[in-house]
Amino acid sequence: MAGHSKWATTKHKKAAIDAKRAKLFAKLIKNIEVAARTGGGDPAGNPSLFDAIQKAKKSSVPNDNIDRAVKRGSGAEGGGADYQTLTYEGYAPGGVGLIIECLSENKNRAVMEVRTALTRNGGQMADSGSVAFNFHRKGVVVVPAGEKSEDELMEIVLEAGAEELTDMGEAGFEVTTEPSDMVPVRTALQEAGVDYDSADVKMLPITPIELDAEGARKLFRLIDALEDCDDVQEVYAAADVPDAVLAELDSED
């Protein structure tokens, strides 16, 4: 899990830049539509929709866009697309396993875009199951720094069923749970008056590969290309980028 916390820190920094891009807004809106279609348009009774809306608001998606997405997804307003959830597996340069999650109304387009992004950046598609065995699905709640001390947070989240609390430095704290315990943990934080940046179910690597600077550059370049695909929602990598390597890459920006 230590490798994931470093990886999450890098993703957190990148998200601050991506939040200004319309492409990220479109992905967040798509998540809201799918959550509303699956569990109904009332966030109070649909935890997935609640978290999708919360994530969109944290990224400054306008409320009007969020409201329209909820209405399209729930059927209260026309124009919603019939999105499919698609998951692909692949390898980045150096043999790093990738899980690529998509939402698309066009499966052929989605797989073509993913395959193209992989092959143009030194990666390749993998057979189903050849990568997924090295990941497990976990709930991940990110709490910004300064909300509570580590000990105070630990008491709140462990009582609610959390498995682990990881200090990510300036990026805050990462709470890891079983997927079924994520909502109770998130609710416990809310009831304790603790704000949180995000609450998502993610695929976390079990045995990540440690990368040097060159390997990390190639991986991040590939992930950027995949995330530029309209249908790609999330990219998970079985990689551990040491702090020293992250610092080296940051100094190059």
Side-chain angles (χ1 to χ4, degrees):
M1 295 305 297
H4 174 69
S5 66
K6 296 170 189 172
W7 174 250
T9 302
T10 302
K11 295 286 288 180
H12 180 82
K13 292 177 181 176
K14 186 175 184 303
I17 299 170
D18 284 351
K20 299 177 182 178
R21 299 166 61 195
K23 191 176 289 288
L24 176 63
F25 280 21
K27 292 176 188 289
L28 294 169
I29 289 297
K30 193 183 290 187
N31 270 337
I32 291 171
E33 280 196 44
V34 171
R37 179 173 294 112
T38 304
D42 179 9
N46 183 349
S48 296
L49 178 60
F50 182 96
D51 290 326
I53 291 173
Q54 186 84 349
K55 192 171 184 180
K57 287 183 174 180
K58 291 283 187 182
S59 297
S60 302
V61 176
N63 286 333
D64 285 350
N65 295 35
I66 292 172
D67 291 342
R68 287 197 296 271
V70 172
K71 289 176 181 177
R72 286 195 301 270
S74 63
E77 182 178 292
D82 185 17
Y83 294 117
Q84 290 180 275
T85 300
L86 306 167
T87 302
Y88 302 107
E89 299 177 36
Y91 290 105
V96 173
L98 302 172
I99 300 287
I100 305 147
E101 294 183 346
C102 302
L103 284 176
S104 179
E105 76 282 15
N106 186 325
K107 182 177 180 179
N108 291 335
R109 180 189 67 211
V111 69
M112 182 177 67
E113 286 188 344
V114 168
R115 189 185 304 276
T116 299
L118 285 167
T119 55
R120 285 181 178 175
N121 292 277
Q124 63 186 63
M125 296 287 281
D127 293 335
S128 178
S130 60
V131 169
F133 76 92
N134 194 29
F135 289 80
H136 48 191
R137 189 171 289 276
K138 294 290 182 179
V140 178
V141 183
V142 177
V143 179
E147 284 289 315
K148 294 279 187 180
S149 71
E150 184 172 359
D151 287 342
E152 289 172 323
L153 281 176
M154 185 80 74
E155 184 176 349
I156 294 167
V157 301
L158 289 183
E159 286 185 2
E163 293 183 338
E164 186 175 5
L165 177 70
T166 304
D167 186 346
M168 300 192 299
E170 294 179 2
F173 295 91
E174 180 182 86
V175 185
T176 308
T177 76
E178 284 296 321
S180 59
D181 291 328
M182 187 188 73
V183 171
V185 167
R186 184 255 283 161
T187 301
L189 288 169
Q190 288 176 307
E191 291 175 348
V194 178
D195 192 17
Y196 64 95
D197 281 338
S198 61
D200 301 286
V201 175
K202 297 179 175 289
M203 298 294 289
L204 304 186
I206 298 170
T207 308
I209 295 175
E210 184 171 309
L211 298 179
D212 59 15
E214 184 57 30
R217 286 189 199 96
K218 291 178 180 178
L219 174 63
F220 293 160
R221 192 178 304 123
L222 171 55
I223 290 175
D224 282 343
L226 285 166
E227 290 182 341
D228 276 340
C229 299
D230 289 338
D231 294 322
V232 172
Q233 293 293 108
E234 294 285 350
V235 181
Y236 303 110
D240 178 8
V241 183
D243 290 336
V245 172
L246 286 175
E248 179 181 342
L249 297 183
D250 284 345
S251 69
E252 297 172 355
D253 292 339

